[in-house]
Amino acid sequence: VQLQASGGGLVLPGGSLRLSCAASGETSYRFTMGWFRQVPGKEREFVAATRWGGGNTIYSDSAKGRFTISRDNAKKTVYLQMNSLKPEDTAVYYCAADNRMILSSMGTGSAYDYWGQGTQVTVSS
């Protein structure tokens, strides 16, 4: 599975961005795609994830109410709509995928086998 992320950029506080991540290769019922972010010097942080089979979706506390993850199964693409962005959302955002994800591990970075290249999101005035 290969992942191609896009959509990052510079946005004013309170603004919105939509990230996209397209996957290539075979997928399974347990295929899951997620978004993580990382700031230099800090640990990678889970943002949101969605599983193809069953449609399970989870969010971090910081993402709930502001971010929405969605997917297009036919295009094997996941989106992260980010609204009401704050300066503390500034980070490199990575998409990740796995074909054998169990529900309890959807928020765990080490459970994902495949990672995209990362896209920078900067929230600043």
Side-chain angles (χ1 to χ4, degrees):
V1 176
Q2 292 185 321
L3 303 175
Q4 182 68 43
S6 62
L10 173 64
V11 63
L12 293 172
S16 299
L17 276 177
R18 189 175 84 151
L19 306 182
S20 301
C21 182
S24 61
E26 294 296 319
T27 60
S28 67
Y29 179 84
R30 291 195 285 169
F31 184 69
T32 299
M33 293 184 75
W35 289 97
F36 292 77
R37 65 188 184 186
Q38 190 166 24
V39 176
K42 293 189 176 181
E43 291 189 357
R44 181 177 55 199
E45 177 188 16
F46 168 73
V47 178
T50 183
R51 196 168 90 155
W52 260 231
N56 301 82
T57 299
I58 61 171
Y59 295 92
S60 66
D61 287 342
S62 62
K64 285 178 185 176
R66 298 188 300 127
F67 296 1
T68 301
I69 189 169
S70 62
R71 66 187 183 278
D72 184 326
N73 290 19
K75 295 182 179 179
K76 297 180 186 177
T77 299
V78 66
Y79 306 96
L80 185 68
Q81 177 66 43
M82 303 186 292
N83 299 328
S84 303
L85 283 162
K86 306 174 182 179
E88 50 264 43
D89 294 317
T90 296
V92 177
Y93 283 69
Y94 296 92
C95 65
D98 193 86
N99 255 319
R100 298 172 295 174
M101 184 63 66
I102 59 174
L103 294 178
S104 60
S105 296
M106 287 176 64
T108 305
S110 59
Y112 290 80
D113 282 343
Y114 307 101
W115 291 83
Q117 81 281 14
T119 184
Q120 176 71 44
V121 171
T122 302
V123 185
S124 175
S125 56

